[in-house]
Amino acid sequence: YVRKSPSDVDPETRLKLLQKMVDNLLDRSLVDKIYVSVSSLASSPFNERDLNKTDEIMKKLKHVTGYTPGKAILQHID
């Protein structure tokens, strides 16, 4: 799971930071699925994250299973 906090960072920088986090997770962990929250607070419940879908960034991310509002991530947890 990769999450980026809300900030004033431009979308292209946010994309680069998220992709670096995804790449690091793939390189350092034995994961086969990665979910991303493009802009959410750590304290917000999963079902309230990324309600304003950030499709443009998600389309450009590589090696990502999906994004999180709660149902998307919770359906795939084994």
Side-chain angles (χ1 to χ4, degrees):
Y1 173 65
V2 171
R3 182 189 64 79
K4 190 83 182 102
S5 295
S7 68
D8 293 333
V9 129
D10 63 277
E12 198 59 36
T13 301
R14 181 171 296 277
L15 172 63
K16 288 178 185 177
L17 293 169
L18 284 165
Q19 189 63 61
K20 183 67 175 167
M21 294 166 70
V22 167
D23 294 343
N24 285 340
L25 191 57
L26 282 170
D27 290 342
R28 299 176 185 172
S29 303
L30 297 172
V31 297
D32 56 352
K33 295 178 183 173
I34 297 178
Y35 292 88
V36 174
S37 177
V38 173
S39 180
S40 66
L41 297 171
S43 60
S44 63
F46 273 105
N47 64 341
E48 294 178 9
R49 294 182 183 193
D50 292 328
L51 293 178
N52 299 327
K53 288 172 78 174
T54 49
D55 288 336
E56 292 306 310
I57 292 176
M58 286 301 297
K59 287 178 189 175
K60 295 177 183 177
L61 287 170
K62 298 174 184 160
H63 312 293
V64 171
T65 304
Y67 69 99
T68 58
K71 289 182 184 177
I73 193 169
L74 295 177
Q75 287 175 349
H76 295 288
I77 295 176
D78 294 327

